[in-house]
Amino acid sequence: MTHSKELIKQVVARFFPDGEVVHIEQCNGGHINQTYFVDCRITPSDMNRYVVQCLNRKVFPDLPGLMDNVLRVSEQMSVYAQEHNMNMTRSYLHFMRTVDGAPAIDDKELGFWRVYRYINNAVGKLVAESPLEAFKTAEAFGLFQGMLAGLTGPRLVETIPAFHDTRKRFERLERAASEDKLGRFEGAKDVYEAIMAIKPYALALQEAFEKGEIPERVVHNDAKLSNILLDINTGNAICVIDLDTCMPGLAGHDFGDMARSMSSQTPEDEEDLSKIKINFEIYESLIKGFLKGANGVLNTREVELLPDGGIAMTTEVAVRFLTDYFEGDVYFNIKYEGQNLRRSKSQLRLAQCMIEALPRLRKLVNSAK
Ligand code: GN1
Ligand code: MG
């Protein structure tokens, strides 16, 4: 466990002073924050499971701003859920307050921690099993976009400035490659060159935004399959999670991350590149599900550019993994040496598959419109 049980108990006590922590386990998902599942007895007859998270200060410079976004978005989801007779305990995250009424602990020694209720009988998956699963997930992310179109008040805080500025991501990769602090460049030169070769395709979405063809929206920005909870009994998508990067962005970023995480049924760090292939039935379901969920919110150009979103997000993450590999694995959590390089290679391969398949993907979009 990254944090000691004692420390986690101290954190929980700030939220539930009378609670008794009965069980703690670490959640292995997520590349950035540290997450624990904690069973806590609040009263003798009331035992609940909570998700207790330590947020990464290095990655998120403005954590109070981040929590403001998360609470505003969750509030908007709760209003929508109520208006549409959705399940009020399972369709959005319920954040707990500390004894002082704060949404998180912000402590120099303990760190920045928040707690929300665990949703029972739900699962986040790493690989899409079927076109139907892809459809339901995409519909939920499309709906999320529709829900947030009604968000009022000031622009959300940019929790990570220039998060999906693909051009800047390339610039940082070039810098990391030329600095080559750890002498890793020679061993990854072929990957670097192949990534640089597809840059024009990866920039198409951003260029359309710069030309004013597509609008800024409030989007999730990390719309991968594992960030949707699916009901273990029905397989239905029940709740969008991980709202930390929910901020202004492009619809194509969300569709793109779904295409990245679902169109090939392989893990993000697949070693055998020959296994990485686009499942066109799944891809088609993603388009149909996303358009159904978004329910007319997207303009014609945003719809046309959905496949470009897939290429942008897949290439961008390949760029980010390789940058982190050159910089010494300081951003993404890794489970083994070389994981960031392997992730980068597999995401690059997937982006290349999408580029090869672009005419066919455009046809799928045209016939789904
Ligand atoms: C990170 O921590 P996690 O797994 O939710 C990253 C995303 C990447 C993703 C790749 C804040 O998300 O941008 O697409 O890994 N989040 C941040 O799996 O950088
Ligand atoms: Mg995330």
Side-chain angles (χ1 to χ4, degrees), residues 345-365:
K345 284 184 190 172
S346 100
Q347 298 301 296
L348 165 65
R349 179 68 207 122
L350 180 57
Q352 290 167 333
C353 291
M354 290 177 180
I355 293 168
E356 282 157 26
L358 199 49
R360 187 162 169 191
L361 300 179
R362 294 222 191 281
K363 273 194 200 140
L364 290 181
V365 170

PDB file of all heavy atoms in Angstrom, residues 345-365:
ATOM      1  N   LYS A 345       4.216   2.611 -27.489  1.00  0.00           N
ATOM      2  CA  LYS A 345       4.254   1.824 -28.732  1.00  0.00           C
ATOM      3  C   LYS A 345       2.869   1.314 -29.096  1.00  0.00           C
ATOM      4  O   LYS A 345       2.469   1.331 -30.251  1.00  0.00           O
ATOM      5  CB  LYS A 345       5.154   0.592 -28.546  1.00  0.00           C
ATOM      6  CG  LYS A 345       6.621   0.903 -28.566  1.00  0.00           C
ATOM      7  CD  LYS A 345       7.372  -0.426 -28.479  1.00  0.00           C
ATOM      8  CE  LYS A 345       8.839  -0.190 -28.241  1.00  0.00           C
ATOM      9  NZ  LYS A 345       9.575  -1.411 -27.959  1.00  0.00           N
ATOM     10  N   SER A 346       2.134   0.833 -28.090  1.00  0.00           N
ATOM     11  CA  SER A 346       0.834   0.243 -28.410  1.00  0.00           C
ATOM     12  C   SER A 346      -0.159   1.331 -28.834  1.00  0.00           C
ATOM     13  O   SER A 346      -0.943   1.144 -29.759  1.00  0.00           O
ATOM     14  CB  SER A 346       0.325  -0.609 -27.245  1.00  0.00           C
ATOM     15  OG  SER A 346      -0.609   0.088 -26.493  1.00  0.00           O
ATOM     16  N   GLN A 347      -0.096   2.492 -28.183  1.00  0.00           N
ATOM     17  CA  GLN A 347      -1.005   3.573 -28.569  1.00  0.00           C
ATOM     18  C   GLN A 347      -0.645   4.130 -29.950  1.00  0.00           C
ATOM     19  O   GLN A 347      -1.511   4.492 -30.730  1.00  0.00           O
ATOM     20  CB  GLN A 347      -1.005   4.678 -27.509  1.00  0.00           C
ATOM     21  CG  GLN A 347      -1.498   4.200 -26.140  1.00  0.00           C
ATOM     22  CD  GLN A 347      -2.920   3.645 -26.173  1.00  0.00           C
ATOM     23  OE1 GLN A 347      -3.868   4.350 -26.459  1.00  0.00           O
ATOM     24  NE2 GLN A 347      -3.061   2.355 -25.908  1.00  0.00           N
ATOM     25  N   LEU A 348       0.643   4.156 -30.243  1.00  0.00           N
ATOM     26  CA  LEU A 348       1.080   4.582 -31.578  1.00  0.00           C
ATOM     27  C   LEU A 348       0.518   3.628 -32.629  1.00  0.00           C
ATOM     28  O   LEU A 348      -0.018   4.054 -33.655  1.00  0.00           O
ATOM     29  CB  LEU A 348       2.620   4.599 -31.639  1.00  0.00           C
ATOM     30  CG  LEU A 348       3.218   4.670 -33.046  1.00  0.00           C
ATOM     31  CD1 LEU A 348       2.869   5.983 -33.731  1.00  0.00           C
ATOM     32  CD2 LEU A 348       4.739   4.493 -32.993  1.00  0.00           C
ATOM     33  N   ARG A 349       0.649   2.330 -32.382  1.00  0.00           N
ATOM     34  CA  ARG A 349       0.145   1.341 -33.347  1.00  0.00           C
ATOM     35  C   ARG A 349      -1.351   1.552 -33.587  1.00  0.00           C
ATOM     36  O   ARG A 349      -1.828   1.507 -34.705  1.00  0.00           O
ATOM     37  CB  ARG A 349       0.430  -0.083 -32.832  1.00  0.00           C
ATOM     38  CG  ARG A 349      -0.058  -1.171 -33.717  1.00  0.00           C
ATOM     39  CD  ARG A 349       0.736  -1.231 -35.054  1.00  0.00           C
ATOM     40  NE  ARG A 349      -0.048  -1.799 -36.123  1.00  0.00           N
ATOM     41  CZ  ARG A 349      -0.343  -1.207 -37.285  1.00  0.00           C
ATOM     42  NH1 ARG A 349       0.092   0.010 -37.565  1.00  0.00           N
ATOM     43  NH2 ARG A 349      -1.055  -1.814 -38.187  1.00  0.00           N
ATOM     44  N   LEU A 350      -2.073   1.795 -32.489  1.00  0.00           N
ATOM     45  CA  LEU A 350      -3.518   1.989 -32.610  1.00  0.00           C
ATOM     46  C   LEU A 350      -3.828   3.251 -33.433  1.00  0.00           C
ATOM     47  O   LEU A 350      -4.712   3.246 -34.298  1.00  0.00           O
ATOM     48  CB  LEU A 350      -4.150   2.071 -31.212  1.00  0.00           C
ATOM     49  CG  LEU A 350      -5.654   2.280 -31.143  1.00  0.00           C
ATOM     50  CD1 LEU A 350      -6.410   1.195 -31.902  1.00  0.00           C
ATOM     51  CD2 LEU A 350      -6.124   2.292 -29.686  1.00  0.00           C
ATOM     52  N   ALA A 351      -3.079   4.314 -33.180  1.00  0.00           N
ATOM     53  CA  ALA A 351      -3.293   5.550 -33.952  1.00  0.00           C
ATOM     54  C   ALA A 351      -3.014   5.286 -35.432  1.00  0.00           C
ATOM     55  O   ALA A 351      -3.762   5.749 -36.312  1.00  0.00           O
ATOM     56  CB  ALA A 351      -2.394   6.663 -33.419  1.00  0.00           C
ATOM     57  N   GLN A 352      -1.965   4.507 -35.717  1.00  0.00           N
ATOM     58  CA  GLN A 352      -1.666   4.192 -37.122  1.00  0.00           C
ATOM     59  C   GLN A 352      -2.819   3.402 -37.755  1.00  0.00           C
ATOM     60  O   GLN A 352      -3.195   3.638 -38.899  1.00  0.00           O
ATOM     61  CB  GLN A 352      -0.363   3.379 -37.206  1.00  0.00           C
ATOM     62  CG  GLN A 352       0.882   4.206 -36.873  1.00  0.00           C
ATOM     63  CD  GLN A 352       2.117   3.340 -36.653  1.00  0.00           C
ATOM     64  OE1 GLN A 352       2.006   2.171 -36.264  1.00  0.00           O
ATOM     65  NE2 GLN A 352       3.290   3.905 -36.900  1.00  0.00           N
ATOM     66  N   CYS A 353      -3.380   2.472 -36.986  1.00  0.00           N
ATOM     67  CA  CYS A 353      -4.529   1.694 -37.512  1.00  0.00           C
ATOM     68  C   CYS A 353      -5.685   2.629 -37.847  1.00  0.00           C
ATOM     69  O   CYS A 353      -6.365   2.473 -38.858  1.00  0.00           O
ATOM     70  CB  CYS A 353      -5.039   0.678 -36.477  1.00  0.00           C
ATOM     71  SG  CYS A 353      -3.942  -0.679 -36.150  1.00  0.00           S
ATOM     72  N   MET A 354      -5.921   3.608 -36.958  1.00  0.00           N
ATOM     73  CA  MET A 354      -7.040   4.547 -37.193  1.00  0.00           C
ATOM     74  C   MET A 354      -6.787   5.382 -38.449  1.00  0.00           C
ATOM     75  O   MET A 354      -7.716   5.679 -39.205  1.00  0.00           O
ATOM     76  CB  MET A 354      -7.217   5.478 -35.992  1.00  0.00           C
ATOM     77  CG  MET A 354      -7.744   4.790 -34.753  1.00  0.00           C
ATOM     78  SD  MET A 354      -7.807   6.013 -33.423  1.00  0.00           S
ATOM     79  CE  MET A 354      -8.443   5.018 -32.089  1.00  0.00           C
ATOM     80  N   ILE A 355      -5.536   5.769 -38.645  1.00  0.00           N
ATOM     81  CA  ILE A 355      -5.210   6.592 -39.825  1.00  0.00           C
ATOM     82  C   ILE A 355      -5.407   5.763 -41.095  1.00  0.00           C
ATOM     83  O   ILE A 355      -6.019   6.218 -42.068  1.00  0.00           O
ATOM     84  CB  ILE A 355      -3.775   7.159 -39.700  1.00  0.00           C
ATOM     85  CG1 ILE A 355      -3.729   8.160 -38.544  1.00  0.00           C
ATOM     86  CG2 ILE A 355      -3.329   7.804 -41.014  1.00  0.00           C
ATOM     87  CD1 ILE A 355      -2.340   8.588 -38.122  1.00  0.00           C
ATOM     88  N   GLU A 356      -4.925   4.502 -41.071  1.00  0.00           N
ATOM     89  CA  GLU A 356      -5.113   3.625 -42.241  1.00  0.00           C
ATOM     90  C   GLU A 356      -6.602   3.438 -42.538  1.00  0.00           C
ATOM     91  O   GLU A 356      -7.006   3.334 -43.690  1.00  0.00           O
ATOM     92  CB  GLU A 356      -4.499   2.237 -41.976  1.00  0.00           C
ATOM     93  CG  GLU A 356      -2.979   2.210 -42.134  1.00  0.00           C
ATOM     94  CD  GLU A 356      -2.358   1.052 -41.337  1.00  0.00           C
ATOM     95  OE1 GLU A 356      -3.043   0.032 -41.100  1.00  0.00           O
ATOM     96  OE2 GLU A 356      -1.175   1.195 -40.951  1.00  0.00           O
ATOM     97  N   ALA A 357      -7.396   3.398 -41.470  1.00  0.00           N
ATOM     98  CA  ALA A 357      -8.830   3.092 -41.645  1.00  0.00           C
ATOM     99  C   ALA A 357      -9.679   4.353 -41.817  1.00  0.00           C
ATOM    100  O   ALA A 357     -10.907   4.264 -41.877  1.00  0.00           O
ATOM    101  CB  ALA A 357      -9.331   2.307 -40.435  1.00  0.00           C
ATOM    102  N   LEU A 358      -9.053   5.512 -41.910  1.00  0.00           N
ATOM    103  CA  LEU A 358      -9.821   6.769 -41.876  1.00  0.00           C
ATOM    104  C   LEU A 358     -10.983   6.820 -42.883  1.00  0.00           C
ATOM    105  O   LEU A 358     -12.104   7.182 -42.496  1.00  0.00           O
ATOM    106  CB  LEU A 358      -8.864   7.958 -42.031  1.00  0.00           C
ATOM    107  CG  LEU A 358      -9.351   9.320 -41.585  1.00  0.00           C
ATOM    108  CD1 LEU A 358      -9.959   9.306 -40.198  1.00  0.00           C
ATOM    109  CD2 LEU A 358      -8.214  10.336 -41.615  1.00  0.00           C
ATOM    110  N   PRO A 359     -10.767   6.439 -44.172  1.00  0.00           N
ATOM    111  CA  PRO A 359     -11.918   6.511 -45.098  1.00  0.00           C
ATOM    112  C   PRO A 359     -13.093   5.651 -44.617  1.00  0.00           C
ATOM    113  O   PRO A 359     -14.250   6.098 -44.674  1.00  0.00           O
ATOM    114  CB  PRO A 359     -11.347   5.956 -46.411  1.00  0.00           C
ATOM    115  CG  PRO A 359      -9.858   6.112 -46.286  1.00  0.00           C
ATOM    116  CD  PRO A 359      -9.540   6.002 -44.818  1.00  0.00           C
ATOM    117  N   ARG A 360     -12.779   4.477 -44.098  1.00  0.00           N
ATOM    118  CA  ARG A 360     -13.858   3.593 -43.625  1.00  0.00           C
ATOM    119  C   ARG A 360     -14.538   4.177 -42.375  1.00  0.00           C
ATOM    120  O   ARG A 360     -15.767   4.093 -42.232  1.00  0.00           O
ATOM    121  CB  ARG A 360     -13.236   2.220 -43.312  1.00  0.00           C
ATOM    122  CG  ARG A 360     -14.251   1.184 -42.986  1.00  0.00           C
ATOM    123  CD  ARG A 360     -13.671  -0.205 -43.105  1.00  0.00           C
ATOM    124  NE  ARG A 360     -14.604  -1.181 -42.543  1.00  0.00           N
ATOM    125  CZ  ARG A 360     -14.311  -2.435 -42.306  1.00  0.00           C
ATOM    126  NH1 ARG A 360     -13.100  -2.901 -42.572  1.00  0.00           N
ATOM    127  NH2 ARG A 360     -15.211  -3.252 -41.799  1.00  0.00           N
ATOM    128  N   LEU A 361     -13.761   4.795 -41.501  1.00  0.00           N
ATOM    129  CA  LEU A 361     -14.343   5.391 -40.287  1.00  0.00           C
ATOM    130  C   LEU A 361     -15.245   6.571 -40.657  1.00  0.00           C
ATOM    131  O   LEU A 361     -16.302   6.777 -40.064  1.00  0.00           O
ATOM    132  CB  LEU A 361     -13.246   5.829 -39.315  1.00  0.00           C
ATOM    133  CG  LEU A 361     -12.310   4.703 -38.830  1.00  0.00           C
ATOM    134  CD1 LEU A 361     -11.240   5.251 -37.878  1.00  0.00           C
ATOM    135  CD2 LEU A 361     -13.096   3.590 -38.141  1.00  0.00           C
ATOM    136  N   ARG A 362     -14.824   7.344 -41.660  1.00  0.00           N
ATOM    137  CA  ARG A 362     -15.668   8.477 -42.094  1.00  0.00           C
ATOM    138  C   ARG A 362     -17.001   7.965 -42.643  1.00  0.00           C
ATOM    139  O   ARG A 362     -18.047   8.570 -42.419  1.00  0.00           O
ATOM    140  CB  ARG A 362     -14.957   9.302 -43.169  1.00  0.00           C
ATOM    141  CG  ARG A 362     -13.707  10.011 -42.666  1.00  0.00           C
ATOM    142  CD  ARG A 362     -13.609  11.431 -43.212  1.00  0.00           C
ATOM    143  NE  ARG A 362     -12.298  12.018 -42.941  1.00  0.00           N
ATOM    144  CZ  ARG A 362     -11.931  12.535 -41.774  1.00  0.00           C
ATOM    145  NH1 ARG A 362     -12.759  12.530 -40.760  1.00  0.00           N
ATOM    146  NH2 ARG A 362     -10.727  13.055 -41.614  1.00  0.00           N
ATOM    147  N   LYS A 363     -16.931   6.843 -43.377  1.00  0.00           N
ATOM    148  CA  LYS A 363     -18.184   6.271 -43.911  1.00  0.00           C
ATOM    149  C   LYS A 363     -19.110   5.864 -42.772  1.00  0.00           C
ATOM    150  O   LYS A 363     -20.321   6.061 -42.832  1.00  0.00           O
ATOM    151  CB  LYS A 363     -17.879   5.040 -44.771  1.00  0.00           C
ATOM    152  CG  LYS A 363     -17.596   5.400 -46.196  1.00  0.00           C
ATOM    153  CD  LYS A 363     -17.647   4.155 -47.088  1.00  0.00           C
ATOM    154  CE  LYS A 363     -16.895   4.472 -48.367  1.00  0.00           C
ATOM    155  NZ  LYS A 363     -16.081   3.394 -48.854  1.00  0.00           N
ATOM    156  N   LEU A 364     -18.527   5.270 -41.723  1.00  0.00           N
ATOM    157  CA  LEU A 364     -19.354   4.860 -40.582  1.00  0.00           C
ATOM    158  C   LEU A 364     -20.063   6.071 -39.983  1.00  0.00           C
ATOM    159  O   LEU A 364     -21.240   6.009 -39.631  1.00  0.00           O
ATOM    160  CB  LEU A 364     -18.497   4.188 -39.499  1.00  0.00           C
ATOM    161  CG  LEU A 364     -17.917   2.801 -39.804  1.00  0.00           C
ATOM    162  CD1 LEU A 364     -17.109   2.290 -38.613  1.00  0.00           C
ATOM    163  CD2 LEU A 364     -19.047   1.818 -40.120  1.00  0.00           C
ATOM    164  N   VAL A 365     -19.327   7.181 -39.867  1.00  0.00           N
ATOM    165  CA  VAL A 365     -19.928   8.399 -39.304  1.00  0.00           C
ATOM    166  C   VAL A 365     -21.056   8.882 -40.216  1.00  0.00           C
ATOM    167  O   VAL A 365     -22.154   9.197 -39.757  1.00  0.00           O
ATOM    168  CB  VAL A 365     -18.870   9.514 -39.119  1.00  0.00           C
ATOM    169  CG1 VAL A 365     -19.533  10.827 -38.773  1.00  0.00           C
ATOM    170  CG2 VAL A 365     -17.869   9.126 -38.038  1.00  0.00           C
TER     171      VAL A 365
END
